[in-house]
Amino acid sequence: MPVLTDALLSIVVPLYNEEENVTLLTERIHESLEGYNYQIVYVDDFSTDRTRKVIADLKDPKVHLISLKKNYGQSLALAAGLDYAQGDYIVTMDGDLQNDPSDIPKMLPYVLSGEYDVVTGIRQKRKDSLVKKIPSKIANFMVRRVTKLDIKDNGCALKVFTRDIAKDLNLYGEMHRFINLLAYLEGAQIKQVPVKHHARNAGVSKYGLERVFKVVADMMLLLFIRKYFQRPIHLFGIIGVLMILLGVAINIYLLIVKFGFGQDIGNRPLLIFGLMFILGGIQLFTIGIVMELLIRTYYESQNKRPYRIKNVTIGGEVA
């Protein structure tokens, strides 16, 4: 397989309150990538601890720190790092030391060969609690069933991209969970590689069981955008027809009950709750889709980014 020579490698790491991890993470990246041409792009998502100061005190010329003006979440922090990254190949990983930088050299040859556009890790012997493992397994199962994309571990943050694929991801909301799917829909060839996984070195996890519900919502939105963006009538039209048929069936039933059996239908729960759930459900779902499309149009049509950078430092000095 090809060997990386002068090509620049960008390591993009979103950070939020990782002051106890970032120094050791930097050392491990340097140890793992000795002999490579690389830059480390840390994106501080408005940490409330000393993360930014610890990075600045490193005074490391290979470390680029992007400080966001407020907490935007992991997807937009990652998007800021990907937009800034100058490398020919881009690596993403978490900042909690659960990903191991020593896995990067064994992943790189697959993209360097030109055969694959994305190399994604499969965490072996995960050192997470059940609170993280269970939602992850449920989410991976749902993504495989709905998208038909056989990725075993969508939650692994350790990935290697070619530059063109990474720059075209267009992350919004919390779409970092679907990076593999986004890349696949852009035509990327994806390789899965087993990688090491460690227990969190310090700090606390930012994930819990609520992640399952976010995954469901984001997955529905992503599938709608990709499948029905140019022909929404195929989705809303079918749903509308089914709703009309259901409403007609209910009305016919109630008419038979009223005129055939002489029963009062004005206070029937079927009539009241049926109308409430149907109208409320259509209204909420439609408003959610329309608002999301408006947000995407606002950002993409004006070439705006959904985050604001406070400053960028290189080696501890403001760039």
Side-chain angles (χ1 to χ4, degrees), residues 7-52:
L8 179 63
L9 186 64
S10 293
I11 316 298
V12 177
V13 188
L15 299 172
Y16 180 70
N17 291 348
E18 300 289 358
E19 63 174 326
E20 298 177 79
N21 293 321
V22 70
T23 299
L24 183 55
L25 174 61
T26 305
E27 292 174 358
R28 290 184 179 177
I29 292 175
H30 286 325
E31 291 171 0
S32 301
L33 298 181
E34 185 177 357
Y36 288 83
N37 181 24
Y38 64 95
Q39 62 176 190
I40 302 172
V41 181
Y42 286 136
V43 185
D44 181 72
D45 194 19
F46 203 69
S47 294
T48 57
D49 64 1
R50 298 174 61 256
T51 298
R52 291 185 298 278

Short mmCIF file of all heavy atoms in Angstrom, two decimals, residues 7-52:
data_model
loop_
_atom_site.label_atom_id
_atom_site.label_comp_id
_atom_site.label_asym_id
_atom_site.label_seq_id
_atom_site.Cartn_x
_atom_site.Cartn_y
_atom_site.Cartn_z
N ALA A 7 2.28 14.72 1.67
CA ALA A 7 0.86 15.11 1.78
C ALA A 7 0.55 15.55 3.20
O ALA A 7 0.98 14.94 4.17
CB ALA A 7 -0.04 13.95 1.37
N LEU A 8 -0.19 16.64 3.33
CA LEU A 8 -0.54 17.17 4.64
C LEU A 8 -1.75 16.44 5.21
O LEU A 8 -2.74 16.21 4.50
CB LEU A 8 -0.84 18.67 4.55
CG LEU A 8 -1.26 19.36 5.85
CD1 LEU A 8 -0.13 19.30 6.88
CD2 LEU A 8 -1.67 20.80 5.59
N LEU A 9 -1.65 16.09 6.47
CA LEU A 9 -2.72 15.38 7.18
C LEU A 9 -3.28 16.31 8.25
O LEU A 9 -2.53 16.90 9.02
CB LEU A 9 -2.14 14.12 7.82
CG LEU A 9 -3.09 13.15 8.51
CD1 LEU A 9 -4.06 12.55 7.50
CD2 LEU A 9 -2.30 12.06 9.20
N SER A 10 -4.59 16.49 8.28
CA SER A 10 -5.24 17.32 9.29
C SER A 10 -5.98 16.43 10.28
O SER A 10 -6.81 15.60 9.88
CB SER A 10 -6.24 18.28 8.64
OG SER A 10 -5.60 19.24 7.84
N ILE A 11 -5.69 16.58 11.56
CA ILE A 11 -6.37 15.84 12.62
C ILE A 11 -7.38 16.80 13.26
O ILE A 11 -6.99 17.75 13.95
CB ILE A 11 -5.39 15.34 13.70
CG1 ILE A 11 -4.13 14.75 13.06
CG2 ILE A 11 -6.08 14.33 14.62
CD1 ILE A 11 -4.39 13.56 12.17
N VAL A 12 -8.67 16.58 13.04
CA VAL A 12 -9.71 17.48 13.53
C VAL A 12 -10.35 16.88 14.78
O VAL A 12 -10.88 15.77 14.75
CB VAL A 12 -10.78 17.72 12.45
CG1 VAL A 12 -11.89 18.61 12.99
CG2 VAL A 12 -10.15 18.36 11.22
N VAL A 13 -10.31 17.64 15.88
CA VAL A 13 -10.80 17.14 17.17
C VAL A 13 -11.72 18.17 17.83
O VAL A 13 -11.23 19.22 18.30
CB VAL A 13 -9.64 16.82 18.13
CG1 VAL A 13 -10.18 16.11 19.38
CG2 VAL A 13 -8.58 15.96 17.44
N PRO A 14 -13.04 17.95 17.88
CA PRO A 14 -13.91 18.84 18.64
C PRO A 14 -13.69 18.63 20.14
O PRO A 14 -13.53 17.49 20.60
CB PRO A 14 -15.33 18.39 18.24
CG PRO A 14 -15.15 17.48 17.07
CD PRO A 14 -13.78 16.89 17.20
N LEU A 15 -13.68 19.72 20.90
CA LEU A 15 -13.43 19.64 22.34
C LEU A 15 -14.49 20.42 23.11
O LEU A 15 -14.89 21.51 22.71
CB LEU A 15 -12.06 20.23 22.68
CG LEU A 15 -10.83 19.56 22.06
CD1 LEU A 15 -9.60 20.41 22.36
CD2 LEU A 15 -10.64 18.15 22.59
N TYR A 16 -14.90 19.83 24.23
CA TYR A 16 -15.77 20.55 25.16
C TYR A 16 -15.43 20.08 26.57
O TYR A 16 -15.67 18.94 26.93
CB TYR A 16 -17.25 20.30 24.86
CG TYR A 16 -18.17 21.03 25.82
CD1 TYR A 16 -18.29 22.42 25.77
CD2 TYR A 16 -18.92 20.33 26.77
CE1 TYR A 16 -19.11 23.10 26.64
CE2 TYR A 16 -19.73 21.01 27.66
CZ TYR A 16 -19.83 22.39 27.59
OH TYR A 16 -20.65 23.07 28.47
N ASN A 17 -14.81 20.96 27.34
CA ASN A 17 -14.41 20.67 28.72
C ASN A 17 -13.51 19.42 28.80
O ASN A 17 -13.82 18.45 29.48
CB ASN A 17 -15.63 20.49 29.62
CG ASN A 17 -16.39 21.79 29.83
OD1 ASN A 17 -15.90 22.87 29.50
ND2 ASN A 17 -17.59 21.69 30.39
N GLU A 18 -12.38 19.48 28.09
CA GLU A 18 -11.43 18.37 28.08
C GLU A 18 -10.05 18.83 28.55
O GLU A 18 -9.03 18.37 28.05
CB GLU A 18 -11.33 17.77 26.67
CG GLU A 18 -12.63 17.22 26.11
CD GLU A 18 -13.08 15.93 26.80
OE1 GLU A 18 -12.37 15.45 27.70
OE2 GLU A 18 -14.17 15.43 26.44
N GLU A 19 -10.01 19.73 29.54
CA GLU A 19 -8.72 20.27 30.00
C GLU A 19 -7.78 19.19 30.52
O GLU A 19 -6.56 19.31 30.41
CB GLU A 19 -8.94 21.33 31.08
CG GLU A 19 -9.59 20.81 32.35
CD GLU A 19 -9.65 21.87 33.44
OE1 GLU A 19 -8.72 22.68 33.51
OE2 GLU A 19 -10.62 21.88 34.21
N GLU A 20 -8.33 18.13 31.09
CA GLU A 20 -7.49 17.08 31.66
C GLU A 20 -7.00 16.08 30.62
O GLU A 20 -6.14 15.26 30.91
CB GLU A 20 -8.26 16.35 32.77
CG GLU A 20 -8.66 17.23 33.94
CD GLU A 20 -9.48 16.45 34.97
OE1 GLU A 20 -8.87 15.71 35.77
OE2 GLU A 20 -10.71 16.57 34.95
N ASN A 21 -7.57 16.14 29.43
CA ASN A 21 -7.23 15.16 28.40
C ASN A 21 -6.38 15.72 27.26
O ASN A 21 -5.66 14.98 26.59
CB ASN A 21 -8.51 14.58 27.79
CG ASN A 21 -9.29 13.73 28.77
OD1 ASN A 21 -8.72 12.99 29.55
ND2 ASN A 21 -10.62 13.84 28.74
N VAL A 22 -6.49 17.03 27.00
CA VAL A 22 -5.96 17.57 25.76
C VAL A 22 -4.43 17.50 25.68
O VAL A 22 -3.87 17.27 24.60
CB VAL A 22 -6.47 19.01 25.54
CG1 VAL A 22 -5.85 19.99 26.54
CG2 VAL A 22 -6.23 19.46 24.12
N THR A 23 -3.73 17.68 26.78
CA THR A 23 -2.26 17.61 26.74
C THR A 23 -1.80 16.20 26.40
O THR A 23 -0.92 16.01 25.52
CB THR A 23 -1.66 18.04 28.10
OG1 THR A 23 -2.04 19.39 28.38
CG2 THR A 23 -0.14 17.94 28.06
N LEU A 24 -2.36 15.21 27.07
CA LEU A 24 -1.98 13.82 26.80
C LEU A 24 -2.38 13.41 25.39
O LEU A 24 -1.64 12.69 24.71
CB LEU A 24 -2.64 12.90 27.83
CG LEU A 24 -2.29 11.41 27.75
CD1 LEU A 24 -0.78 11.20 27.81
CD2 LEU A 24 -2.99 10.63 28.86
N LEU A 25 -3.54 13.88 24.93
CA LEU A 25 -3.98 13.58 23.57
C LEU A 25 -2.98 14.13 22.56
O LEU A 25 -2.62 13.44 21.59
CB LEU A 25 -5.37 14.17 23.32
CG LEU A 25 -5.91 14.05 21.90
CD1 LEU A 25 -6.03 12.58 21.48
CD2 LEU A 25 -7.26 14.75 21.77
N THR A 26 -2.53 15.35 22.77
CA THR A 26 -1.55 15.96 21.86
C THR A 26 -0.26 15.14 21.82
O THR A 26 0.30 14.90 20.74
CB THR A 26 -1.24 17.41 22.31
OG1 THR A 26 -2.46 18.15 22.40
CG2 THR A 26 -0.31 18.08 21.32
N GLU A 27 0.21 14.72 22.99
CA GLU A 27 1.44 13.91 23.05
C GLU A 27 1.26 12.60 22.28
O GLU A 27 2.17 12.17 21.56
CB GLU A 27 1.79 13.62 24.50
CG GLU A 27 2.22 14.86 25.29
CD GLU A 27 2.42 14.57 26.77
OE1 GLU A 27 2.17 13.39 27.17
OE2 GLU A 27 2.82 15.48 27.52
N ARG A 28 0.11 11.97 22.44
CA ARG A 28 -0.12 10.68 21.77
C ARG A 28 -0.23 10.84 20.27
O ARG A 28 0.20 9.96 19.51
CB ARG A 28 -1.38 10.02 22.34
CG ARG A 28 -1.19 9.52 23.77
CD ARG A 28 -2.41 8.78 24.27
NE ARG A 28 -2.20 8.28 25.64
CZ ARG A 28 -3.12 7.65 26.35
NH1 ARG A 28 -4.32 7.42 25.83
NH2 ARG A 28 -2.84 7.24 27.57
N ILE A 29 -0.80 11.94 19.82
CA ILE A 29 -0.87 12.19 18.38
C ILE A 29 0.54 12.37 17.82
O ILE A 29 0.88 11.81 16.77
CB ILE A 29 -1.74 13.43 18.08
CG1 ILE A 29 -3.21 13.15 18.41
CG2 ILE A 29 -1.61 13.84 16.61
CD1 ILE A 29 -4.13 14.35 18.25
N HIS A 30 1.36 13.14 18.52
CA HIS A 30 2.74 13.34 18.07
C HIS A 30 3.51 12.02 18.01
O HIS A 30 4.26 11.76 17.06
CB HIS A 30 3.46 14.31 19.01
CG HIS A 30 3.04 15.74 18.85
ND1 HIS A 30 2.69 16.29 17.64
CD2 HIS A 30 2.92 16.75 19.77
CE1 HIS A 30 2.37 17.56 17.80
NE2 HIS A 30 2.49 17.86 19.09
N GLU A 31 3.33 11.19 19.02
CA GLU A 31 4.02 9.89 19.05
C GLU A 31 3.56 8.99 17.90
O GLU A 31 4.37 8.31 17.27
CB GLU A 31 3.75 9.19 20.39
CG GLU A 31 4.40 9.87 21.59
CD GLU A 31 3.94 9.26 22.90
OE1 GLU A 31 3.12 8.32 22.86
OE2 GLU A 31 4.37 9.74 23.97
N SER A 32 2.27 9.01 17.63
CA SER A 32 1.71 8.10 16.62
C SER A 32 2.02 8.55 15.19
O SER A 32 2.08 7.72 14.28
CB SER A 32 0.19 8.01 16.79
OG SER A 32 -0.14 7.52 18.08
N LEU A 33 2.21 9.85 14.99
CA LEU A 33 2.39 10.38 13.64
C LEU A 33 3.81 10.91 13.39
O LEU A 33 4.02 11.75 12.52
CB LEU A 33 1.37 11.49 13.38
CG LEU A 33 -0.10 11.05 13.42
CD1 LEU A 33 -1.02 12.23 13.12
CD2 LEU A 33 -0.37 9.91 12.43
N GLU A 34 4.75 10.40 14.14
CA GLU A 34 6.14 10.81 13.94
C GLU A 34 6.58 10.47 12.50
O GLU A 34 6.39 9.35 12.02
CB GLU A 34 7.05 10.09 14.94
CG GLU A 34 8.50 10.55 14.88
CD GLU A 34 9.36 9.88 15.94
OE1 GLU A 34 8.80 9.11 16.76
OE2 GLU A 34 10.57 10.12 15.95
N GLY A 35 7.13 11.45 11.83
CA GLY A 35 7.56 11.24 10.45
C GLY A 35 6.52 11.67 9.43
O GLY A 35 6.81 11.73 8.23
N TYR A 36 5.30 11.98 9.88
CA TYR A 36 4.24 12.44 8.98
C TYR A 36 4.20 13.96 8.97
O TYR A 36 4.63 14.64 9.91
CB TYR A 36 2.88 11.91 9.44
CG TYR A 36 2.67 10.43 9.22
CD1 TYR A 36 3.16 9.49 10.13
CD2 TYR A 36 1.96 9.97 8.13
CE1 TYR A 36 2.97 8.13 9.93
CE2 TYR A 36 1.75 8.61 7.93
CZ TYR A 36 2.26 7.70 8.82
OH TYR A 36 2.06 6.36 8.63
N ASN A 37 3.65 14.51 7.89
CA ASN A 37 3.41 15.95 7.78
C ASN A 37 1.96 16.20 8.19
O ASN A 37 1.03 15.81 7.48
CB ASN A 37 3.66 16.40 6.34
CG ASN A 37 3.45 17.89 6.17
OD1 ASN A 37 3.54 18.66 7.13
ND2 ASN A 37 3.13 18.31 4.95
N TYR A 38 1.75 16.82 9.34
CA TYR A 38 0.38 16.93 9.85
C TYR A 38 0.18 18.21 10.65
O TYR A 38 1.13 18.88 11.07
CB TYR A 38 0.04 15.73 10.73
CG TYR A 38 0.88 15.62 11.99
CD1 TYR A 38 0.44 16.13 13.20
CD2 TYR A 38 2.14 15.00 11.95
CE1 TYR A 38 1.22 16.03 14.34
CE2 TYR A 38 2.92 14.89 13.09
CZ TYR A 38 2.45 15.41 14.29
OH TYR A 38 3.22 15.31 15.42
N GLN A 39 -1.09 18.55 10.82
CA GLN A 39 -1.51 19.64 11.70
C GLN A 39 -2.63 19.10 12.59
O GLN A 39 -3.38 18.21 12.18
CB GLN A 39 -2.03 20.83 10.90
CG GLN A 39 -3.24 20.53 10.05
CD GLN A 39 -3.81 21.73 9.31
OE1 GLN A 39 -4.88 21.63 8.74
NE2 GLN A 39 -3.11 22.85 9.29
N ILE A 40 -2.71 19.62 13.81
CA ILE A 40 -3.77 19.23 14.73
C ILE A 40 -4.74 20.41 14.83
O ILE A 40 -4.33 21.53 15.18
CB ILE A 40 -3.23 18.89 16.13
CG1 ILE A 40 -2.20 17.77 16.03
CG2 ILE A 40 -4.37 18.50 17.07
CD1 ILE A 40 -1.47 17.49 17.35
N VAL A 41 -5.99 20.18 14.49
CA VAL A 41 -7.00 21.24 14.52
C VAL A 41 -7.96 20.96 15.68
O VAL A 41 -8.83 20.10 15.59
CB VAL A 41 -7.78 21.32 13.19
CG1 VAL A 41 -8.80 22.46 13.25
CG2 VAL A 41 -6.82 21.52 12.02
N TYR A 42 -7.76 21.67 16.77
CA TYR A 42 -8.67 21.56 17.91
C TYR A 42 -9.78 22.61 17.76
O TYR A 42 -9.49 23.79 17.49
CB TYR A 42 -7.93 21.80 19.23
CG TYR A 42 -7.04 20.66 19.67
CD1 TYR A 42 -5.76 20.90 20.17
CD2 TYR A 42 -7.48 19.34 19.59
CE1 TYR A 42 -4.94 19.86 20.57
CE2 TYR A 42 -6.65 18.30 19.99
CZ TYR A 42 -5.40 18.56 20.48
OH TYR A 42 -4.59 17.52 20.87
N VAL A 43 -11.02 22.19 17.96
CA VAL A 43 -12.15 23.11 17.91
C VAL A 43 -12.78 23.15 19.29
O VAL A 43 -13.40 22.17 19.73
CB VAL A 43 -13.20 22.67 16.87
CG1 VAL A 43 -14.30 23.73 16.76
CG2 VAL A 43 -12.56 22.43 15.50
N ASP A 44 -12.59 24.26 19.98
CA ASP A 44 -13.15 24.39 21.33
C ASP A 44 -14.57 24.91 21.23
O ASP A 44 -14.81 26.04 20.81
CB ASP A 44 -12.31 25.34 22.18
CG ASP A 44 -12.88 25.46 23.58
OD1 ASP A 44 -12.76 24.49 24.35
OD2 ASP A 44 -13.48 26.51 23.89
N ASP A 45 -15.52 24.06 21.64
CA ASP A 45 -16.94 24.38 21.53
C ASP A 45 -17.42 25.15 22.77
O ASP A 45 -18.34 24.75 23.46
CB ASP A 45 -17.75 23.09 21.35
CG ASP A 45 -19.18 23.34 20.90
OD1 ASP A 45 -19.44 24.44 20.38
OD2 ASP A 45 -20.01 22.44 21.08
N PHE A 46 -16.74 26.27 23.03
CA PHE A 46 -17.06 27.17 24.14
C PHE A 46 -17.01 26.44 25.48
O PHE A 46 -17.97 26.44 26.26
CB PHE A 46 -18.44 27.81 23.94
CG PHE A 46 -18.61 29.11 24.69
CD1 PHE A 46 -17.91 30.24 24.30
CD2 PHE A 46 -19.46 29.19 25.77
CE1 PHE A 46 -18.07 31.44 24.99
CE2 PHE A 46 -19.62 30.38 26.47
CZ PHE A 46 -18.92 31.51 26.07
N SER A 47 -15.87 25.81 25.75
CA SER A 47 -15.68 25.09 27.01
C SER A 47 -15.80 26.04 28.20
O SER A 47 -15.43 27.21 28.11
CB SER A 47 -14.31 24.40 27.04
OG SER A 47 -14.23 23.39 26.06
N THR A 48 -16.28 25.50 29.31
CA THR A 48 -16.41 26.30 30.54
C THR A 48 -15.27 26.04 31.51
O THR A 48 -15.26 26.57 32.62
CB THR A 48 -17.76 26.01 31.22
OG1 THR A 48 -17.86 24.60 31.48
CG2 THR A 48 -18.91 26.43 30.32
N ASP A 49 -14.33 25.19 31.12
CA ASP A 49 -13.17 24.93 31.96
C ASP A 49 -11.93 25.58 31.34
O ASP A 49 -12.04 26.57 30.61
CB ASP A 49 -12.97 23.42 32.19
CG ASP A 49 -12.66 22.69 30.88
OD1 ASP A 49 -12.58 23.35 29.82
OD2 ASP A 49 -12.48 21.46 30.92
N ARG A 50 -10.74 25.07 31.59
CA ARG A 50 -9.49 25.68 31.14
C ARG A 50 -8.96 25.06 29.83
O ARG A 50 -7.78 25.17 29.54
CB ARG A 50 -8.43 25.55 32.23
CG ARG A 50 -8.80 26.25 33.52
CD ARG A 50 -7.79 25.98 34.64
NE ARG A 50 -6.44 26.43 34.31
CZ ARG A 50 -5.45 25.64 33.94
NH1 ARG A 50 -5.66 24.32 33.82
NH2 ARG A 50 -4.26 26.12 33.68
N THR A 51 -9.82 24.44 29.06
CA THR A 51 -9.37 23.75 27.85
C THR A 51 -8.58 24.69 26.93
O THR A 51 -7.49 24.34 26.45
CB THR A 51 -10.56 23.16 27.09
OG1 THR A 51 -11.22 22.18 27.90
CG2 THR A 51 -10.11 22.51 25.79
N ARG A 52 -9.11 25.87 26.66
CA ARG A 52 -8.42 26.79 25.74
C ARG A 52 -7.07 27.23 26.28
O ARG A 52 -6.09 27.31 25.53
CB ARG A 52 -9.31 28.02 25.49
CG ARG A 52 -10.56 27.73 24.67
CD ARG A 52 -11.33 29.00 24.35
NE ARG A 52 -11.82 29.65 25.57
CZ ARG A 52 -12.92 29.30 26.22
NH1 ARG A 52 -13.66 28.29 25.77
NH2 ARG A 52 -13.30 29.95 27.30
#
